[in-house]
């Protein structure tokens, strides 16, 4: 009951005049809570009934607590206790004055007005509707915040793509050219050495042929190592382009998601998402022609 009375701490008294009946329904209403007390006086002067508090919490949920009451009356002076599980709960006193019930307990003082169960039910329904309104408002605010965060991330991704993607393409293209040039130079040097050694072997003495054959095998090993290194580089470039493709496709998918959710305005880069994919495919085609195809010509057995 301390919780019940705590909800109405420091409320002012309301004076009303009406019949002197004790039995009835009494309610204290505020913007976000209801305090309800129902009292039934028996012929022997004993009191029974129940108390109920209904309140809207900060998150928009409803907290509804109800406890049985029992007590006694001396004229219009009441003495009541909450009958809770495992025994009696906090006690409080009350005074009936006209249509007003003033209750005083450890939690403070509250004034409730006589009403009907039907009206109390309507008040509870109104409180429930208000709580749903709070939840709906919070949901709208969260959805708007989520929307703005999504659009900001999308815009940041679009700016990064617009700025960095061409740079990445160019850097990859330059790296491919550099690798091709180095590999071609090294390939030609090894091939030239092999040609000279094989020609030398044709006119060499049997003893010299053994030494020359060792040199030839060494050059063949160097060529195989060069081919393996080239294959590894090709694989790395393929992985780089796969990662780029995933980034571009993810951006395009997020643009489509934002559009399907009705988010606006979309970043301008969303309109260019397809062109990014086209640029990616074009650049990858160049790499395939100049890098992978070149490797096939240099190292027919390694591809």
């Amino acid at each position: 009951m301390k919780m019940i009375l705590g909800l109405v701490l420091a409320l002012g008294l309301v004076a009303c005049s009406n019949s002197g009946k004790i039995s009835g329904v009494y309610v204290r209403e505020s913007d976000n809570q209801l305090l309800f007390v129902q009292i039934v006086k028996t012929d022997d002067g004993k009191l029974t009934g129940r108390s109920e508090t209904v309140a809207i919490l900060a998150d928009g949920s409803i907290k509804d607590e109800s406890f049985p009451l029992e007590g006694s009356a001396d004229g219009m002076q009441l003495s009541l206790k909450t009958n809770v599980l495992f025994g009696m709960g906090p006690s409080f006193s009350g005074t009936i004055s006209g249509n007003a019930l003033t209750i005083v307990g450890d939690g403070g003082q509250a004034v409730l007005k006589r009403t009907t169960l039907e009206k109390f039910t309507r008040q509870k329904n109104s409180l429930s509707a208000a709580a749903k309104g709070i939840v709906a408002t919070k949901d709208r605010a969260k959805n708007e915040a989520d929307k703005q965060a999504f659009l900001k991330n999308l815009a940041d991704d679009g700016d990064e793509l617009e700025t960095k993607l061409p740079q990445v393409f160019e850097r990859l293209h330059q790296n491919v050219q550099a690798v091709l040039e180095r590999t071609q130079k090294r390939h030609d040097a090894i091939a030239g050495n092999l040609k000279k050694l094989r020609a030398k072997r044709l006119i060499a003495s049997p003893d010299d042929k053994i030494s020359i054959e060792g040199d030839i095998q060494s050059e063949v090993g160097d060529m195989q190592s060069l081919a393996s290194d080239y294959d590894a580089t090709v694989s790395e470039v393929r992985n780089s382009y796969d990662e780029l493709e995933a980034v571009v496709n993810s951006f395009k998918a997020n643009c489509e998601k934002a559009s399907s959710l009705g988010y606006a305005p979309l970043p301008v880069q969303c309109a260019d998402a397809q062109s990014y994919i086209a640029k990616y495919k074009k650049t990858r085609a160049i790499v395939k022609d100049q890098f992978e195809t070149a490797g096939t010509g240099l190292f027919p057995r390694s591809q």
Side-chain angles (χ1 to χ4, degrees):
M1 192 60 200
K2 289 182 180 180
M3 182 179 297
I4 298 172
L5 295 177
L7 293 171
V8 292
L9 182 62
L11 292 173
L13 296 175
V14 178
C16 298
S17 60
N18 208 319
S19 66
K21 296 188 300 181
I22 292 178
S23 297
V25 172
Y26 302 86
V27 173
R28 170 68 175 93
E29 180 180 18
S30 65
D31 291 340
N32 62 355
Q33 69 180 32
L34 294 170
L35 173 58
F36 166 93
V37 174
Q38 183 179 32
I39 299 174
V40 177
K41 181 180 180 184
T42 60
D43 294 338
D44 57 3
K46 292 183 179 179
L47 304 178
T48 61
R50 70 184 180 92
S51 65
E52 182 176 358
T53 54
V54 186
I56 301 176
L57 302 183
D59 62 358
S61 61
I62 289 284
K63 185 174 184 179
D64 191 340
E65 293 183 314
S66 180
F67 300 99
L69 293 175
E70 61 181 70
S72 60
D74 182 6
M76 292 297 151
Q77 301 298 315
L78 314 181
S79 178
L80 295 166
K81 286 187 177 182
T82 53
N83 190 353
V84 297
L85 189 63
F86 305 124
M88 302 304 293
S91 61
F92 60 94
S93 62
T95 302
I96 300 291
S97 177
N99 282 338
L101 166 62
T102 302
I103 57 176
V104 180
D106 293 341
Q109 176 177 286
V111 179
L112 296 78
K113 290 184 178 181
R114 187 186 295 271
T115 185
T116 65
L117 280 174
E118 292 77 9
K119 184 176 179 180
F120 174 63
T121 299
R122 291 194 298 270
Q123 289 171 313
K124 285 183 66 174
N125 291 338
S126 297
L127 204 65
S128 179
K132 290 178 180 178
I134 291 174
V135 172
T137 298
K138 288 180 176 292
D139 287 345
R140 285 193 297 270
K142 182 180 183 303
N143 290 339
E144 181 63 23
D146 290 345
K147 168 188 168 182
Q148 294 304 324
F150 187 91
L151 287 175
K152 183 182 183 305
N153 290 336
L154 192 61
D156 291 344
D157 290 344
D159 290 340
E160 187 171 7
L161 278 178
E162 188 174 34
T163 302
K164 293 186 177 180
L165 200 61
Q167 298 174 1
V168 173
F169 284 158
E170 180 62 25
R171 187 165 61 251
L172 273 173
H173 184 65
Q174 291 174 354
N175 289 342
V176 165
Q177 293 299 320
V179 169
L180 270 174
E181 291 174 5
R182 289 197 304 269
T183 303
Q184 184 71 57
K185 184 177 180 179
R186 179 62 178 150
H187 174 276
D188 292 347
I190 295 173
N193 289 339
L194 282 171
K195 183 177 180 180
K196 291 177 182 178
L197 287 169
R198 285 166 179 160
K200 186 177 179 181
R201 184 178 57 183
L202 293 175
I203 59 175
S205 66
D207 291 338
D208 289 340
K209 284 184 179 181
I210 295 175
S211 176
I212 293 171
E213 188 63 36
D215 293 339
I216 290 175
Q217 292 304 315
S218 177
E219 293 293 338
V220 169
D222 289 346
M223 185 68 83
Q224 291 173 344
S225 296
L226 183 63
S228 296
D229 292 343
Y230 192 85
D231 287 344
T233 304
V234 169
S235 178
E236 290 175 3
V237 171
R238 286 172 179 167
N239 290 338
S240 296
Y241 271 90
D242 287 343
E243 292 172 2
L244 282 175
E245 183 179 25
V247 170
V248 174
N249 286 337
S250 176
F251 177 73
K252 182 173 182 290
N254 284 334
C255 287
E256 292 170 349
K257 177 182 178 180
S259 179
S260 68
L261 292 173
Y263 288 176
L266 295 180
V268 294
Q269 292 87 353
C270 282
D272 297 328
Q274 194 60 45
S275 69
Y276 293 144
I277 294 177
K279 290 177 184 177
Y280 157 79
K281 290 182 177 179
K282 180 179 179 181
T283 307
R284 182 161 189 169
I286 293 174
V287 170
K288 182 175 180 60
D289 289 342
Q290 295 186 355
F291 197 40
E292 298 181 20
T293 304
T296 302
L298 288 171
F299 314 108
R301 295 182 180 181
S302 66
Q303 300 295 312

